[in-house]
Amino acid sequence: MNETNPPPYIPQIRLYQQWLAEQRGLHFDSYNALWRWSTTDLDAFWQSIWDYFDMRSITPHTAVLQRNVMPGAQWFPGARVNYAQQVLRHVQPAHDAGFMAIVSRNEKGHHVEMSWPELRRQVASLALHLQAQGVRPGDRVAAYLPNIPEAMVAFLATVSIGGVWSLCAPDMGTNAVLDRFRQIEPVVLIACDGVTYGARDFDRLAVVAELRAALPTVRHVVLHTNLAADDAAAADRALQAAAPCISFAEATARMDAAVARFEPLWLPFDHPLWIVYSSGTTGLPKPIVHGHGGTTIVALALKILHNDIGCSYEPNSWGERYHWYSSTGWVMWNAQISGLLGGTTCVIYDGNPGGSKDQPDWTTLWRFAAEQGVTFFGAGAAFFANCFKAGVDLSTCGDLSAVRALGSTGSPLSEDAQRWGTSQFAAIAQSDEQRDIWWCNISGGTDFAGAFIGGHRELPQTPGRMQCRLMGCAVEAWNEQGLPVIDEVGELVCTQPIPSMPLHFVGDVDNKRLLGSYFDMYPAGHGRKPGGGDLDTAAGAVWRHGDWLRIHPDGSCVIYGRSDATINRHGLRMGTSELYSAVEALPEVMDSMVVDLEYLGCESYMPLFVVLREGVVLDAAVRQRITDSIKTALSPRFVPNDVFQVAEIPRTLSGKKQELPIKKLLLGQPLEKVINQEAMANPGCLGWYVAFAQRRLDGH
């Protein structure tokens, strides 16, 4: 490969279309035509993805989509795959080309570069250790780790032997973690001694002890001494405090013939891969199970074709380095690791992207990206908004000439933030690509480990919009009558199955929670169209995602925020019920309600309304106790912008809190359009909220 004079870059989606023309005789005169084909001939489209990426199986599949029904679609029956197999196939060619698998940095400057052979060796060592501890296919392995290489190694080791992975971030409190892990009954816990964030160390050994005590199914603990990384004596103390356990370093130190010959197990296409959590407005977080095959094939199509992230050792994308800032509590961690599926170097950062409270610095990630030659730079929309507001000047951040794409998700990206980034790169441009930098703005979710709407390297881009609906995703905006609309805001629905949609929720009898989460708004069969496989006569309902969507006539899209009452803070979703559990556990608080005013064009704002015990006043001390309770039980990310004392929380006759109507009221909709007062238990309380909404709209 001649690095000094590389051939002109060809976008990945163009390469795929050339392949379709040569191998399938398929020609499309527009992206819309390609999208229509991909969502109406599901068998042909997903088989093309399988073939294009040379997905491997030791047994052939007997169909692509055997049963077209939601939920319960049957994909690639007979195939045997493994996510880790797809990753480790890149070890030799990537290493021969001189590329790393993972490049990592934390706030303290601790820098790690892990080669592909070393990644394979550590994965094999830990996998054999887990097998020796009795971990069998289908067993759950829970992890409490930050965004570091050890988390990636632990994930690949777990899934390589058929274990089911589940991860929580160490900034989550004990209660929030237990609400998740208790449901899945893990047999192994892989944890850390603590984390550093915002220039502060946070010891987590007490939390690890609480998790172990509250999870009776855990029979083995692996501890990574993250805080004590460079202090052997401190590492020994941490291990003694967490005993009985084994150190992560010891569990990954093996280097023998068994490690050398280790191969991941070949598993059924729908064998459980991981359990992720997405909260609704009631009950415990939903433990969502995704499968090996569906997650892998969707990630390849999304990451490579739509996000335009190529293989590091392929001449066309030589030296690709992929970074998407995330915590391990966000599905973008899963999206980051999926770069390894395509043989791409993953560049990760653990810590606060905005510096510390005392010394805020929104250039941190940019300087890191410059040092590491990142080619694709992704982060939450809130990150770019903060850089814009802080007046970040990218010309002071080092050599960013390798960056050829920016990625954004988590919440709607405003026009102002996008224009800021575009103008910044135009000012430092060293290539035609940077003179009009490409924004890959995507929207999807934890729920199906993918994206519905996103980018296309060769389509026009308009600030504040996403370029297109993704291939294979039959996405529409539906009005209140359940009819598709164009150029109007409606409910985001998906009318055909996608391979990465959930297999099931853990402990969900008769799929009641799964159906209630995505399929209860529109009647079974409504809007379902033949598209591949055997369309079952009981084809089920369409997937309702819970976002407001507008599809413009040119196919570009805007997400306007949540259409339900789920909290979306900094890209992380949390059920309101979890916040209520934390707040209403305080003896002073009798009742509470929170609304998240995430909506395009509005400053993100989340007020909390509380009814206090008689005689209690919302003073500074009570506010602090409420804030501390949320920080401890959930995460500092979910602390409200404001807390207000109210006389009553509006409720329906059946006692349900009226979160969504109050949210719509605060976004400026008239009272008579958002709430039926005859269906309320206490309509007299609405006057206060109407007045509050008016003050906000008036800017007071």
Side-chain angles (χ1 to χ4, degrees):
M1 174 69 196
N2 183 355
E3 295 181 57
T4 59
N5 189 28
Y9 176 76
I10 304 173
Q12 300 293 330
I13 199 164
R14 192 197 305 172
L15 292 174
Y16 168 66
Q17 286 189 253
Q18 291 173 356
W19 181 90
L20 282 177
E22 294 165 3
Q23 300 296 321
R24 298 290 195 269
L26 292 169
H27 302 266
F28 302 97
D29 59 7
S30 67
Y31 176 73
N32 187 57
L34 172 62
W35 176 79
R36 290 283 175 198
W37 166 74
S38 75
T39 56
T40 54
D41 193 346
L42 300 181
D43 295 67
F45 171 68
W46 288 109
Q47 183 65 56
S48 80
I49 297 297
W50 178 288
D51 294 340
Y52 184 72
F53 290 109
D54 188 27
M55 283 188 64
R56 298 171 188 174
S57 169
I58 57 169
T59 54
H61 51 269
T62 56
V64 176
L65 177 55
Q66 181 166 290
R67 185 164 176 252
N68 185 342
V69 60
M70 290 194 289
Q74 295 176 359
W75 293 95
F76 295 95
R80 298 186 74 83
V81 298
N82 192 303
Y83 189 109
Q85 280 277 6
Q86 174 66 29
V87 169
L88 297 180
R89 67 192 285 183
H90 298 291
V91 168
Q92 204 55 54
H95 184 62
D96 289 346
F99 295 116
M100 293 290 119
I102 305 168
V103 176
S104 170
R105 177 86 53 85
N106 69 11
E107 278 192 19
K108 294 181 175 178
H110 184 67
H111 189 81
V112 174
E113 298 198 6
M114 184 177 289
S115 71
W116 283 90
E118 177 63 8
L119 173 66
R120 187 202 173 280
R121 188 198 65 75
Q122 289 195 26
V123 166
S125 177
L126 182 56
L128 292 170
H129 173 78
L130 293 174
Q131 282 184 325
Q133 300 303 314
V135 176
R136 298 292 178 258
D139 285 347
R140 285 78 179 259
V141 173
Y144 188 61
L145 295 168
N147 185 26
I148 53 178
E150 288 79 3
M152 291 179 156
V153 168
F155 161 68
L156 291 170
T158 296
V159 305
S160 71
I161 60 172
V164 186
W165 172 257
S166 196
L167 176 64
C168 281
D171 68 347
M172 295 175 68
T174 308
N175 293 346
V177 176
L178 286 176
D179 280 348
R180 289 155 173 77
F181 286 168
R182 271 199 184 110
Q183 296 184 74
I184 69 169
E185 299 181 321
V187 299
V188 171
L189 175 64
I190 304 177
C192 63
D193 59 342
V195 290
T196 302
Y197 192 86
R200 291 179 59 199
D201 287 345
F202 295 89
D203 189 291
R204 285 294 182 257
L205 288 172
V207 177
V208 174
E210 290 178 271
L211 295 179
R212 173 183 236 147
L215 297 169
T217 54
V218 169
R219 56 179 185 256
H220 184 63
V221 174
V222 180
L223 187 77
H224 171 55
T225 50
N226 187 52
L227 282 183
D230 301 314
D231 186 334
D236 284 342
R237 288 194 297 272
L239 290 166
Q240 289 169 12
C245 66
I246 186 174
S247 75
F248 193 93
E250 183 179 348
T252 56
R254 189 168 169 179
M255 192 184 307
D256 56 20
V259 166
R261 63 174 177 265
F262 174 80
E263 289 290 336
L265 300 177
W266 293 98
L267 303 164
F269 188 87
D270 60 356
H271 185 85
L273 171 71
W274 57 41
I275 300 167
V276 292
Y277 305 90
S278 183
S279 296
T281 56
T282 59
L284 291 169
K286 300 172 294 193
I288 304 170
V289 183
H290 298 130
H292 273 255
T295 303
T296 299
I297 196 169
V298 167
L300 288 168
L302 167 63
K303 199 68 52 199
I304 298 174
L305 303 184
H306 277 288
N307 292 8
D308 201 42
I309 297 167
C311 172
S312 296
Y313 59 86
E314 286 291 337
N316 182 58
S317 47
W318 187 262
E320 187 88 270
R321 285 194 158 200
Y322 167 46
H323 166 80
W324 200 303
Y325 175 77
S326 177
S327 82
T328 50
W330 189 20
V331 75
M332 293 314 297
W333 179 86
N334 307 68
Q336 173 76 75
I337 199 172
S338 71
L340 297 175
L341 288 170
T344 309
T345 300
C346 289
V347 180
I348 63 176
Y349 183 84
D350 179 42
N352 190 335
S356 66
K357 186 182 251 186
D358 298 332
Q359 293 182 301
D361 180 8
W362 289 99
T363 69
T364 300
L365 289 183
W366 296 110
R367 289 184 285 105
F368 174 54
E371 289 172 23
Q372 300 309 315
V374 165
T375 55
F376 185 106
F377 181 99
F383 169 80
F384 293 106
N386 280 316
C387 290
F388 165 54
K389 291 172 188 173
V392 167
D393 180 356
L394 294 188
S395 68
T396 67
C397 297
D399 182 5
L400 289 163
S401 60
V403 177
R404 58 182 182 81
L406 301 174
S408 167
T409 193
S411 57
L413 180 69
S414 70
E415 287 187 39
D416 288 343
Q418 184 164 340
R419 291 185 193 281
W420 166 83
T422 300
S423 64
Q424 285 287 316
F425 271 91
I428 63 170
Q430 296 190 35
S431 65
D432 288 339
E433 287 177 322
Q434 289 193 326
R435 287 183 186 92
D436 185 19
I437 194 78
W438 178 58
W439 286 84
C440 182
N441 302 329
I442 66 173
S443 181
T446 302
D447 312 75
F448 64 103
F452 281 138
I453 302 165
H456 185 307
R457 171 65 80 167
E458 299 195 292
L459 287 179
Q461 56 180 352
T462 303
R465 295 189 196 176
M466 289 166 282
Q467 290 170 293
C468 61
R469 292 170 281 181
L470 301 195
M471 289 184 293
C473 300
V475 168
E476 295 177 345
W478 281 13
N479 63 18
E480 291 182 2
Q481 289 73 46
L483 298 174
V485 293
I486 296 293
D487 218 15
E488 295 179 27
V489 177
E491 286 279 355
L492 190 164
V493 301
C494 187
T495 65
Q496 295 286 11
I498 297 170
S500 62
M501 283 178 174
L503 302 175
H504 57 268
F505 292 174
V506 176
D508 186 16
V509 179
D510 298 327
N511 273 344
K512 286 181 181 176
R513 291 193 75 195
L514 179 66
L515 291 166
S517 297
Y518 312 113
F519 300 106
D520 66 349
M521 175 165 272
Y522 303 102
H526 180 92
R528 293 282 278 118
K529 306 176 185 71
D534 176 16
L535 183 64
D536 198 288
T537 53
V542 303
W543 175 290
R544 175 206 172 232
H545 195 57
D547 280 336
W548 277 310
L549 166 70
R550 170 178 280 169
I551 303 169
H552 289 270
D554 65 356
S556 63
C557 299
V558 178
I559 295 286
Y560 286 85
R562 296 295 295 171
S563 63
D564 61 18
T566 304
I567 303 168
N568 184 6
R569 295 288 274 178
H570 314 297
L572 304 179
R573 289 182 182 174
M574 180 74 74
T576 53
S577 60
E578 294 189 78
L579 190 141
Y580 299 147
S581 294
V583 172
E584 293 170 19
L586 295 170
E588 304 98 318
V589 180
M590 302 298 294
D591 201 359
S592 63
M593 183 179 70
V594 67
V595 293
D596 177 13
L597 302 187
E598 179 221 4
Y599 196 82
L600 189 65
C602 297
E603 187 77 13
S604 178
Y605 179 69
M606 189 175 85
L608 172 67
F609 307 102
V610 293
V611 178
L612 300 180
R613 190 175 296 280
E614 189 174 352
V616 177
V617 177
L618 184 63
D619 56 17
V622 174
R623 287 177 191 272
Q624 190 61 51
R625 284 197 288 276
I626 290 172
T627 296
D628 290 345
S629 181
I630 293 170
K631 285 181 177 178
T632 302
L634 303 178
S635 163
R637 299 168 192 264
F638 294 98
V639 171
N641 295 90
D642 282 316
V643 183
F644 298 97
Q645 184 173 358
V646 295
E648 291 181 90
I649 299 300
R651 290 181 178 270
T652 64
L653 290 170
S654 61
K656 184 177 180 182
K657 298 178 185 184
Q658 296 277 59
E659 298 156 316
L660 189 53
I662 297 301
K663 175 178 177 175
K664 290 180 177 179
L665 183 70
L666 297 181
L667 288 171
Q669 297 187 40
L671 179 66
E672 62 274 11
K673 291 242 180 121
V674 302
I675 200 162
N676 177 8
Q677 297 189 48
E678 293 182 0
M680 284 188 65
N682 54 350
C685 74
L686 290 174
W688 187 92
Y689 295 93
V690 171
F692 176 75
Q694 192 59 54
R695 288 196 301 274
R696 268 194 54 78
L697 293 170
D698 291 342
H700 301 306

